[in-house]
Amino acid sequence: MSAARAEHLPYWPRLMNRPLAAAYLGIGETKLTIEGPAPKRLGKRVLYDIRDLDRWADALDGQPLDDAQRKDEGDDIERRVRERLMNGKG
């Protein structure tokens, strides 16, 4: 079997609406809403960040983060806090 080529892989946007996020995880929308990660809000839109979906799915079986993932997680949180403070939303 040959390796998948990029043009044949699905495109998953960074932020997804509920139906697309549920499809990405392979679960129903109700399960996502009740048990999934907290969505982000953009005006009235409810959106799920693909990174939050991946972290939530990884945590289902207790997969620990390795050192690089833990650093990335910390860097991402720090970046988000800095953005909020710079935008006056701190």
Side-chain angles (χ1 to χ4, degrees):
M1 183 173 188
S2 64
R5 296 178 59 189
E7 62 266 17
H8 298 287
L9 296 174
Y11 167 72
W12 297 103
R14 167 77 188 273
L15 297 174
M16 299 179 232
N17 62 21
R18 187 172 328 199
L20 192 56
Y24 176 75
L25 291 171
I27 62 175
E29 291 180 49
T30 302
K31 176 75 79 177
L32 174 64
T33 303
I34 294 171
E35 297 182 29
K40 299 181 182 326
R41 305 230 184 261
L42 182 61
K44 293 183 179 184
R45 296 183 68 196
V46 175
L47 300 168
Y48 291 85
D49 187 319
I50 196 168
R51 293 184 300 185
D52 294 339
L53 297 172
D54 288 339
R55 282 191 287 265
W56 179 79
D58 288 344
L60 289 175
D61 66 357
Q63 292 181 14
L65 297 176
D66 63 27
D67 289 339
Q69 290 169 318
R70 201 172 4 264
K71 182 185 180 320
D72 288 346
E73 180 85 6
D75 291 347
D76 185 51
I77 291 169
E78 182 179 349
R79 180 191 53 77
R80 286 193 230 173
V81 168
R82 287 182 190 277
E83 285 176 2
R84 288 181 63 86
L85 290 173
M86 287 174 42
N87 292 326
K89 297 179 182 176

